[in-house]
Amino acid sequence: MQQDNPQAQAPVAARIVTCVECGRQVPADEVIQFGEYSVCADCKPVFQQKLAEGSFRPMTLAFASVGRRFAAVSLDGVLIWFVFFIVGISVFAALGKSGLAASMVTLSTIAWPIFSTVMSAGYMIFFTGKYGATPGKMALGIKVVRATGAPMGYGLATGRYFATFVSSMTLGIGYLIAFFDEEKRTLHDRICGTRVIRT
Ligand SMILES: [Zn+2]
C-alpha cells in the first residue's frame, strides 16, 4: 500500500511574517529578505532607501515603558547588592577567623571599592553584551538593541555602560527624558543609538 504518502498529502502551511517597514502580516514567500529583515514588496524601495541613509527604524519594535525599565534596574540593583553582601560577608568572616585585622582595613578601604566597581561593570557589560539584557531586564521581559533592532554586542554594551553615568550625573534628568520621548529613550540611549524593547 503506497498511496498514504504523508509528504504528498501534508498541505504546505503558508508561513506568515511581519514586514519590518509597514508592520503588515505577509506570506513568507512574498517578502524580500534583507539579512534578518523581512520586507513586503510594496515597502522594498522605501526600505532600501532608508537602509542606505541609515534611517531605518523597524515597525516591529515595541519600546519598553519607563516603569518596566525602572523595575528592571531596581531588580539588578538588588541582585548585585545581594552578591556583594554574600561575597563580602564570606571574605570578612575568613579574615576574621585568621585574625588578620589589618587586612580587613586594607580590604574595606582599597580592595572592596575596586572589587565592587569591577563586579558591577562586569555584570552589566557581560549580560547586555551577550544577551542584550541583564537578569533584571530578562525578568521584566525587556532588552537593549540598536536602533535597527540588531543586537548591541560587547563593544556597544561597554560604551552604553559608561554612558549611563552621564544620565546619572545630570541629576537623573538623563533618565527622566525617557518619559517625553516617543521611543522611550534615555540620555544614554541617545548617546549610543540604542532602544529598550519588549521581548
Ligand atoms: Zn511592508
Side-chain angles (χ1 to χ4, degrees), residues 88-108:
I89 290 288
S90 316
V91 173
F92 279 100
L95 286 176
K97 230 182 259 175
S98 47
L100 297 169
S103 301
M104 287 169 79
V105 175
T106 311
L107 188 79
S108 53

Side-chain angles (χ1 to χ4, degrees), residues 11-199:
V12 180
R15 203 164 61 85
I16 300 293
V17 294
T18 307
C19 169
V20 291
E21 177 62 31
C22 65
R24 268 198 305 147
Q25 305 280 301
V26 202
D29 56 359
E30 286 175 27
V31 296
I32 302 101
Q33 206 65 35
F34 291 88
E36 62 188 299
Y37 300 124
S38 306
V39 183
C40 77
D42 295 341
C43 294
K44 188 189 168 190
V46 63
F47 175 82
Q48 278 182 312
Q49 177 69 28
K50 284 185 179 179
L51 210 58
E53 291 171 352
S55 65
F56 169 66
R57 303 283 178 270
M59 280 293 292
T60 47
L61 292 185
F63 302 106
S65 71
V66 175
R68 195 169 278 271
R69 293 182 62 167
F70 179 74
V73 170
S74 308
L75 185 55
D76 281 326
V78 172
L79 286 172
I80 293 174
W81 184 87
F82 186 71
V83 171
F84 285 176
F85 183 75
I86 299 292
V87 173
I89 290 288
S90 316
V91 173
F92 279 100
L95 286 176
K97 230 182 259 175
S98 47
L100 297 169
S103 301
M104 287 169 79
V105 175
T106 311
L107 188 79
S108 53
T109 55
I110 301 167
W112 187 252
I114 295 173
F115 169 77
S116 52
T117 305
V118 172
M119 268 289 296
S120 24
Y123 174 96
M124 303 302 285
I125 294 169
F126 169 75
F127 282 109
T128 50
K130 188 168 173 66
Y131 304 107
T134 54
K137 283 189 167 61
M138 290 178 202
L140 272 298
I142 62 178
K143 69 173 178 180
V144 191
V145 292
R146 292 171 188 268
T148 56
M152 274 201 298
Y154 288 109
L156 188 55
T158 306
R160 191 175 182 276
Y161 171 72
F162 288 104
T164 56
F165 293 121
V166 181
S167 289
S168 307
M169 284 186 306
T170 51
L171 301 171
I173 291 168
Y175 286 97
L176 294 177
I177 59 167
F179 277 110
F180 308 101
D181 186 69
E182 61 175 13
E183 297 185 343
K184 307 281 195 293
R185 287 171 300 171
T186 56
L187 182 57
H188 48 283
D189 287 322
R190 283 173 178 270
I191 294 170
C192 301
T194 51
R195 308 288 186 277
V196 180
I197 58 164
R198 297 287 300 269
T199 54

